[in-house]
Amino acid sequence: MHLVAFGLNHHTAPLAIREKLAFPAEVLPEALASLTADVANEAAIVSTCNRTEVYCASPDPQAALAWLANYHRMPMAELAPYLYQLDARDAARHAFRVAAGLDSMVLGETQILGQIKDAVRVAEQHGTMGTLLNALFQKTFAVAKEVRSKTAVGSASVSMAAAAVKLAEQIFPSVSELKVLFIGAGEMIELVATHFAARKPRQITVANRTLERGQRLAERFGGNAILLSELHDALPQFDVVVTSTASQLPIVGKGMVERAIKQRRHRPVFMLDLAVPRDVEAEVGELNDVFLYTVDDIASIVEVGREARQDAAREAETIIEGRVVEFLEWLKRRDAVPTIRALRDEAERTRRHALEAAMKQLARGDDAGKVLEALSQSLTNKLMHAPTQALARAAGPEHDALVSTIARLYRLHPDA
């Protein structure tokens, strides 16, 4: 069984590719069931706006990798340039770095840790976690906590949510004069809404599939809620539109925005699409008076303070390397368990057979002292037989290696 991780992220693939491999929350249970039914014994899937990564324990890593392409009905040749595949050592290092915020678009950001925990929770709920992945992710969470407590890698970071406000302020004189629409009511929208609300915009509205959930979020910021079905008529009144849903198809189309711009008499609109797959058709960005940004477009905004965090990141890398070694040592010990169990079973069989022979001799009335002597000799001979025969049959470097191993195992000092 091999522990592996594979996938793509914002370093290796553009948004247009990442959105094709995304796993929305509603399909994760089915995807995990498919993966563990076909090619893996354990599996967890991390799918965010910046990455899709599969962590699994599989007897055939290549088949697990092929599953990803087959599941999304994409030719492997098309995906291969963007994918990475990591063995146990690199998978552990990668998981530790991602959870610590070292592999994020925003160096040191903390949201990814919560997203990994959510992915693990889903896998646990659907029975696809096992010994290997449990150990990997428990170690991952511990490493992330250690990095946060011992380094300043997360200090002075500008989150994507804060960057959204900064972008709006580059387009409009004051956020306090704007009407802001949030499409969706998930964690990312909540974070962005928190930052916008701090600037006291003129109006905050949340559009969501279910009105109740939208109202709960809107009420936190003194706003109102509408249904997504009302979006077509409501869109023209908003200066800022931030969207992040789990929809597989665009919610905001070019035609809808064209009509909104006409009704606005070409007053500019700032649109930030944080969804993967995208909520806003890419063609909307071609329209005059529309400033459309995606998650990849705001990378430069979040560079503030990066240099200082990079010094801390080097400290974090040192911590991570030490914890990778610890995890690999645990894997080695675990790999040795079947051999240890087989060795104990063989020793038990030898002991039991020798004891049975001794009990029969005692039952016949043989001298107890002689029976015990014979028992001890029998055990000694049987336990020594296998290593002695192996030494006798070995030659050259193999013989020398066996001599060294046996001396170490039995704590022998032949030259003493």
Side-chain angles (χ1 to χ4, degrees):
M1 196 61 56
H2 302 278
L3 174 62
V4 295
F6 52 87
L8 45 71
N9 60 23
H10 58 291
H11 297 304
T12 68
L15 177 58
I17 297 296
R18 297 203 309 275
E19 64 185 358
K20 291 180 181 179
L21 263 72
F23 287 89
E26 64 268 19
V27 308
L28 266 182
E30 186 273 331
L32 288 168
S34 169
L35 178 54
T36 51
D38 294 339
V39 293
N41 287 27
E42 305 176 29
I45 299 174
V46 178
S47 184
T48 74
C49 59
N50 284 335
R51 70 185 68 248
T52 292
E53 294 177 347
V54 178
Y55 294 83
C56 67
S58 172
D60 188 349
Q62 289 306 122
L65 186 63
W67 171 88
L68 181 64
N70 293 336
Y71 184 87
H72 289 286
R73 299 176 184 175
M74 293 185 68
M76 179 55 76
E78 183 179 340
L79 286 181
Y82 307 104
L83 291 173
Y84 42 82
Q85 182 177 355
L86 310 171
D87 60 15
R89 176 187 293 275
D90 290 336
R93 180 184 294 108
H94 183 74
F96 298 170
R97 295 186 75 254
V98 171
L102 301 184
D103 193 61
S104 299
M105 181 181 291
V106 183
L107 180 62
E109 60 93 9
T110 58
Q111 187 182 6
I112 184 60
L113 179 58
Q115 292 168 327
I116 295 175
K117 288 182 176 179
D118 289 341
V120 170
R121 191 177 302 114
V122 171
E124 287 174 339
Q125 289 171 349
H126 293 87
T128 64
M129 291 287 285
T131 304
L132 281 174
L133 289 190
N134 267 314
L136 172 65
F137 285 112
Q138 290 308 311
K139 190 70 171 177
T140 296
F141 301 149
V143 170
K145 182 178 180 180
E146 184 178 7
V147 167
R148 297 290 176 189
S149 62
K150 292 185 177 179
T151 75
V153 71
S155 65
S157 64
V158 176
S159 68
M160 289 171 61
V165 178
K166 289 182 177 292
L167 277 171
E169 290 175 333
Q170 291 176 13
I171 298 168
F172 300 101
S174 174
V175 172
S176 63
E177 299 174 3
L178 304 178
K179 292 184 177 181
V180 184
L181 172 66
F182 298 103
I183 302 177
E187 182 182 4
M188 179 58 77
I189 288 295
E190 184 177 349
L191 288 171
V192 179
T194 301
H195 282 270
F196 268 100
R199 298 291 202 281
K200 295 181 169 48
R202 193 166 146 201
Q203 179 182 330
I204 288 180
T205 299
V206 177
N208 197 51
R209 281 192 176 85
T210 59
L211 190 60
E212 182 182 359
R213 188 176 180 189
Q215 285 175 332
R216 282 202 304 269
L217 181 60
E219 286 171 1
R220 286 184 50 193
F221 306 108
N224 66 295
I226 62 173
L227 288 168
L228 280 182
S229 57
E230 302 175 63
L231 192 58
H232 183 279
D233 295 328
L235 191 62
Q237 66 181 288
F238 295 103
D239 309 294
V240 173
V241 178
V242 181
T243 180
S244 180
T245 76
S247 174
Q248 291 299 287
L249 297 172
I251 293 172
V252 180
K254 184 179 179 182
M256 181 190 297
V257 179
E258 280 181 323
R259 285 188 290 272
I261 289 296
K262 286 180 181 177
Q263 292 183 46
R264 290 175 58 82
R265 299 187 179 183
H266 297 279
R267 284 181 292 122
V269 177
F270 166 57
M271 306 187 79
L272 179 58
D273 186 354
L274 297 174
V276 178
R278 283 172 282 191
D279 284 336
V280 182
E281 286 184 346
E283 292 78 10
V284 170
E286 300 169 3
L287 298 175
N288 292 329
D289 306 307
V290 176
F291 298 86
L292 174 63
Y293 294 85
T294 66
V295 287
D296 287 358
D297 294 326
I298 63 174
S300 60
I301 306 295
V302 299
E303 291 296 302
V304 177
R306 185 180 182 89
E307 185 175 341
R309 296 196 306 280
Q310 282 179 330
D311 291 336
R314 284 187 278 273
E315 299 175 39
E317 298 283 9
T318 302
I319 293 173
I320 286 170
E321 284 306 312
R323 301 302 171 255
V324 169
V325 171
E326 291 176 359
F327 181 73
L328 291 177
E329 288 299 321
W330 176 85
L331 280 181
K332 287 180 183 178
R333 290 195 298 272
R334 183 181 182 279
D335 289 343
V337 167
T339 301
I340 293 171
R341 186 179 295 119
L343 182 61
R344 285 187 176 278
D345 290 346
E346 179 63 24
E348 174 60 20
R349 280 192 296 271
T350 300
R351 182 198 69 82
R352 190 171 60 251
H353 292 159
L355 180 61
E356 288 172 356
M359 295 296 287
K360 288 177 182 179
Q361 291 172 342
L362 289 172
R364 290 198 306 262
D366 292 357
D367 181 75
K370 290 181 179 180
V371 171
L372 288 175
E373 180 67 22
L375 172 64
S376 65
Q377 288 180 352
S378 173
L379 284 172
T380 300
N381 290 336
K382 288 180 179 179
L383 292 174
M384 290 298 297
H385 179 72
T388 302
Q389 285 291 99
L391 276 174
R393 291 171 184 165
E398 183 187 7
H399 180 272
D400 295 340
L402 271 175
V403 169
S404 175
T405 300
I406 290 172
R408 203 170 86 213
L409 286 173
Y410 291 96
R411 300 178 183 176
L412 306 177
H413 305 284
D415 298 329

